[in-house]
């Protein structure tokens, strides 16, 4: 499978191996191997308070949503450029694999704050139309002005920006709407955004507390938001059918996905000037 992951100098972004990271916790929940004792211990806290099946099902439901969104964008919408922000570690059915099924020349840039993501990507994949960079999406210009992004993606043409299960790691003070707006401002009309997010809607107080406790001591805190708050992140985009729904409900294509009430997900198109 084509795709080159280029590791870049992370500069001042340093993630100590003794601290759990969202990328590696997600990898463990999906059954991956690119995680450490500290990540497994953090997930064990989640499993103890929420239930292992619930946590793993939430992770897989989210992953299936990512796959269907990329499939829809590449096959139905003709998108050939993807910026996968907060991508996490490479696993099965990655964004570039799905996009390249529609067009082998599709271009994908993965972005994550954890430098280990770049290191593993470089070790696992080879080719020429996919790269990975280490950057902090909370500083959008560090992504949008990155030389690899400029080399790989043409912002005068439609680009899909993927924020899949990342904004629940952005605090209100860091202003997730500001982040989306910065990316939207660079996108051409006809571009897309995909967002999924852990939600308070349908969660008991105990479950909400359990999710937050699972990320105590991790590199980022966990912020749960209501459906309305998640919907606000799509400002400037028009939601495509079926709108903002549970991820398993989003254009299921007959796929057998776990069904939880942990998340909401949706895809929006940027129209106008």
């Amino acid at each position: 499978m084509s795709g080159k992951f280029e590791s870049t100098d992370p500069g001042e972004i340093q993630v100590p191996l003794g601290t759990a990271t969202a990328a590696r916790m997600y990898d463990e929940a999906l059954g991956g191997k690119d995680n450490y004792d500290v990540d497994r211990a953090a997930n064990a806290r989640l499993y103890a308070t929420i239930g292992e099946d619930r946590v793993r099902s939430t992770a897989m439901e989210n992953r299936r949503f990512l796959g269907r969104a990329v499939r829809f964008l590449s096959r139905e919408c003709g998108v050939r450029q993807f910026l996968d922000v907060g991508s996490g570690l490479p696993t099965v059915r990655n964004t570039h694999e799905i996009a390249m099924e529609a067009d082998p020349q599709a271009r994908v840039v993965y972005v994550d704050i954890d430098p280990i993501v770049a290191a593993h990507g470089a070790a696992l994949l080879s080719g020429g139309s996919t790269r990975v960079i280490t950057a902090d999406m909370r500083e959008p210009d560090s992504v949008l002005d990155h030389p690899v992004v400029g080399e790989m993606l043409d912002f005068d043409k439609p680009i899909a920006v993927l924020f899949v299960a990342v904004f629940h790691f952005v605090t209100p003070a860091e202003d997730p709407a500001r982040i989306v707006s910065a990316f939207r401002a660079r996108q051409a009309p006809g571009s897309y955004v995909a967002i999924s997010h852990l939600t308070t809607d349908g969660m008991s107080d105990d479950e909400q507390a359990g999710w937050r406790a699972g990320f105590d001591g991790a590199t980022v805190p966990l912020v749960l938001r209501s459906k309305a708050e998640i919907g606000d992140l799509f400002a400037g985009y028009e939601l495509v059918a079926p709108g903002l729904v549970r991820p398993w409900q989003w254009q299921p294509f007959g796929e057998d996905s776990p069904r939880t009430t942990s998340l909401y997900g949706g895809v929006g198109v940027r129209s106008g000037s």
Side-chain angles (χ1 to χ4, degrees):
M1 184 64 66
S2 178
K4 178 182 179 181
F5 272 72
E6 177 181 285
S7 178
T8 61
D9 183 357
E12 295 184 357
I13 298 176
Q14 299 293 333
V15 179
L17 297 183
T19 303
T21 72
R24 299 194 309 258
M25 290 172 67
Y26 186 46
D27 175 72
E28 195 282 333
L30 289 170
K33 306 299 183 184
D34 295 322
N35 49 79
Y36 299 96
D37 287 344
V38 66
D39 308 300
R40 293 188 283 272
N43 274 359
R45 291 194 296 271
L46 283 174
Y47 300 153
T49 56
I50 299 170
E52 183 170 353
D53 182 68
R54 173 78 163 189
V55 175
R56 292 191 185 277
S57 292
T58 296
M60 184 55 68
E61 180 187 10
N62 181 74
R63 189 72 185 178
R64 296 277 174 84
F65 166 74
L66 168 66
R68 294 196 309 277
V70 174
R71 175 183 170 184
F72 169 79
L73 292 168
S74 57
R75 295 186 184 184
E76 305 299 324
C77 305
V79 176
R80 296 295 180 262
Q81 303 185 101
F82 294 84
L83 185 57
D84 192 342
V85 183
S87 59
L89 288 150
T91 182
V92 296
R93 299 293 287 163
N94 296 289
T95 296
H96 74 281
E97 295 172 312
I98 300 168
M100 289 177 186
E101 290 173 354
D103 184 349
Q105 301 306 311
R107 290 179 168 251
V108 178
V109 177
Y110 294 99
V111 183
D112 204 280
I113 193 173
D114 187 343
I116 290 176
V117 171
H120 280 273
L124 292 173
L125 300 171
S126 62
S129 59
T130 305
R131 304 284 177 85
V132 61
I133 65 172
T134 303
D136 187 346
M137 72 175 191
R138 295 169 296 185
E139 300 175 5
D141 288 349
S142 74
V143 178
L144 294 164
D145 294 335
H146 195 288
V148 170
V149 173
E151 172 194 346
M152 295 292 294
L153 304 179
D154 181 355
F155 281 86
D156 291 329
K157 297 178 180 179
I159 291 176
V161 179
L162 312 177
F163 293 112
V164 177
V166 293
F167 280 123
H168 43 244
F169 302 118
V170 178
T171 67
E174 292 164 338
D175 194 357
R178 168 192 62 86
I179 296 169
V180 179
S181 178
F183 282 84
R184 184 180 65 248
R186 299 283 189 99
Q187 289 179 293
S191 294
Y192 291 82
V193 68
I195 298 172
S196 64
H197 198 302
L198 284 167
T199 182
T200 55
D201 292 33
M203 276 197 196
S204 68
D205 291 344
D206 286 345
E207 186 176 357
Q208 292 179 43
W211 278 105
R212 294 187 184 103
F215 286 87
D216 285 349
T219 54
V220 287
L222 186 73
V223 181
L224 301 171
R225 292 184 170 92
S226 68
K227 182 180 181 181
E229 290 173 314
I230 299 166
D232 288 344
L233 299 177
F234 287 92
Y237 296 92
E238 180 181 349
L239 282 164
V240 303
L244 184 61
V245 295
R246 301 298 184 183
W248 64 266
Q249 295 174 312
W250 196 87
Q251 303 214 12
F253 297 119
E255 181 182 77
D256 182 20
S257 169
R259 300 183 177 190
T260 78
T261 55
S262 302
L263 302 144
Y264 278 107
V267 172
V269 58
R270 186 190 187 283
S271 58
S273 59

